[in-house]
Amino acid sequence: HWPRGMNSTQSSPVAFFIIQGLASLGEKKMVLFIIFLLAYTIILGGNIMIIYLVRTDPKLGSPMYFFLHNLSIVDMIYTTVTIPNMLSGFLTEVKTVSVPGCFIQMYCFIHMSVTGRALLTAMAYDRYVAICNPLRYAAVMTRTVCLLLIIGAWTFGAICTFPNTSMALQRSYCGPNVVRHCWCDPSSVRLLVCGDTQVDSIVSLSFALIALLTTGVLILTSYILIGVKIAKMGAAQRLKAFSTCAAHLTVVSISYSSASFVYISYRVGNFSPEVRIIVSVLYSALTPFLNPVIYSLRNKELRVAIKRAFCRHRDVSQQGHKTLNTLS
């Protein structure tokens, strides 16, 4: 039952969209609400921890941690754009979003997704220089170069996002105004356009391929060159070299394999709309969820930094208790 003014077949231009989400799941929505609330809490906690450690621990001053710090910021924005809205949709009968709000969400979601892959590409280049040109690493990966790579990643994200979002913003939406997704997913919103959207679909697919293939090819090239270099090393050197890029390689593998699975699920006819939405939601939360977990488990320096941070806080706490006891 739509509230007054929410006729899903209205013929006049829409003033807002109704986010259908997973309304058809009934009571199962509460189970999903708890799961995604826990996941979002872990995402925020894990990425805030990485940002705090990199900013406060002088031993995490290498370019790799600078890129990881920025990746954590992107992951937090990426999930905050979508998951809180999705969680509120689980608790309300009808979830609405204004037309400007919908396109802001769409832009931020695509931008952060592409920027995250561009940052993974910059991190792959960092690993390539560290392993293939270790003697020139400090000279190549200067602070200026790192900043330029970060700016390039964000700019690349904006370039790949703007055409798709601007075309969608200029279209007329005359109903139905029901977005069959948990947020303003571009392909779901495009179905509501009054008129032909073939050009929009071609532009969207083209820039999606540019974003995926450009970053994918550059990452693959970096790791091919790394693999060739590692193959020429001794056993001890090989193990050390592999350990320096194991966490990044794990994140990249999960990110691109899950993206491929989402692509396939959207094009296989025997998947229900609910399953496709759940797959898409899981994909959007998977990499930001796993990034801090993988880097904490696979990276010795980060594990040691976590222990140092806990020791610092414990010492400060004990010192505070001693001061209070002295004053009393």
Side-chain angles (χ1 to χ4, degrees), residues 1 62 70 132 154 162-163 166 192 217 223 250 267 274 287 294:
H1 300 287
S62 68
N70 281 272
C132 297
W154 283 83
F162 184 75
S166 60
L192 311 181
V217 168
Y223 274 104
T250 304
R267 279 151 184 80
E274 289 78 13
T287 305
I294 291 171

Side-chain angles (χ1 to χ4, degrees), residues 1-2 23 53 108 116 129 142 149 154 163 172 178 188 198 204 213 230 244 249 260 263 281 288 298 302 307 316 325:
H1 300 287
W2 308 119
L53 290 174
C108 292
V129 177
T142 61
L149 287 171
W154 283 83
S172 297
V178 180
S188 301
Q198 186 174 359
S204 177
L213 293 179
I230 289 176
T244 64
L249 186 59
S260 302
Y263 179 84
V281 171
R298 301 298 298 268
L302 203 57
K307 291 179 182 177
V316 169
N325 291 333

Side-chain angles (χ1 to χ4, degrees), residues 21-22 25 28-44 79-80 82-90 181-183 274-287 289:
L22 297 167
L25 293 181
K28 295 177 183 177
K29 288 194 298 182
M30 289 310 299
V31 177
L32 290 174
F33 173 82
I34 294 170
I35 291 172
F36 284 108
L37 178 61
L38 289 173
Y40 184 56
T41 304
I42 293 171
I43 288 169
L44 289 183
T79 50
T80 301
T82 54
I83 293 183
N85 280 319
M86 182 185 68
L87 291 174
S88 67
F90 286 144
H181 209 284
C182 286
W183 58 77
E274 289 78 13
V275 171
R276 290 175 180 171
I277 291 173
I278 290 173
V279 168
S280 178
V281 171
L282 288 173
Y283 164 69
S284 67
L286 183 64
T287 305
F289 177 83

